[in-house]
Amino acid sequence: QVQLVESGGGLVQPGGSLRLSCAASGRTVSSLAMAWFRQAPGREREFVAGLKRGMGTTYAANSVKGRFTVSRDNGKNMAYLQMNALEPEDTAVYSCAASSGSPIVSSLPYASTYDYWGQGTQVTVSS
């Protein structure tokens, strides 16, 4: 069983930065396909960024490309989401997700691809 615990959310001004962390237990992050999703009030859950298992090739939604970077630290068994140039539209609950399979690239943006989820961490971008 894989458990995921997010941390690092908070209140930040527009243009600021935050780094979210996802601590994994039960399996190594290198053996998991991992992703970050977010959900704002009244909106559907949205794929933000992900990493494939193994080599860790990364993917990001067009809305965050150039601003957000997903990464992992195999030694610490952690995944991260570095968020720069934050905008009020980025306000949401951010959740870490993992799949024990080897999803194809086209399935990475879909929540149904992932078997395990963290509890989420709130990110609020406001002045």
Side-chain angles (χ1 to χ4, degrees):
Q1 187 76 0
V2 175
Q3 292 188 324
L4 305 171
V5 179
E6 303 97 333
S7 60
L11 173 64
V12 62
Q13 291 187 341
S17 298
L18 278 177
R19 188 178 79 157
L20 305 184
S21 300
C22 176
S25 60
R27 293 254 322 240
T28 60
V29 292
S30 59
S31 70
L32 298 165
M34 302 195 70
W36 289 92
F37 285 77
R38 66 185 181 186
Q39 187 165 22
R43 300 188 65 176
E44 293 189 356
R45 186 160 49 190
E46 174 189 25
F47 171 79
V48 177
L51 305 99
K52 291 196 71 176
R53 63 185 290 179
M55 295 297 292
T57 307
T58 62
Y59 302 86
N62 288 335
S63 58
V64 305
K65 275 182 182 175
R67 300 189 299 125
F68 291 12
T69 303
V70 61
S71 64
R72 72 185 187 205
D73 185 326
N74 294 339
K76 294 182 178 180
N77 218 37
M78 301 275 289
Y80 302 98
L81 183 68
Q82 177 66 45
M83 306 186 293
N84 299 327
L86 282 160
E87 304 167 352
E89 294 73 25
D90 296 317
T91 295
V93 174
Y94 284 72
S95 297
C96 178
S99 168
S100 56
S102 298
I104 59 176
V105 172
S106 59
S107 70
L108 291 176
Y110 298 96
S112 58
T113 295
Y114 302 91
D115 310 301
Y116 308 102
W117 292 82
Q119 81 288 352
T121 185
Q122 176 71 45
V123 171
T124 302
V125 184
S126 174
S127 55

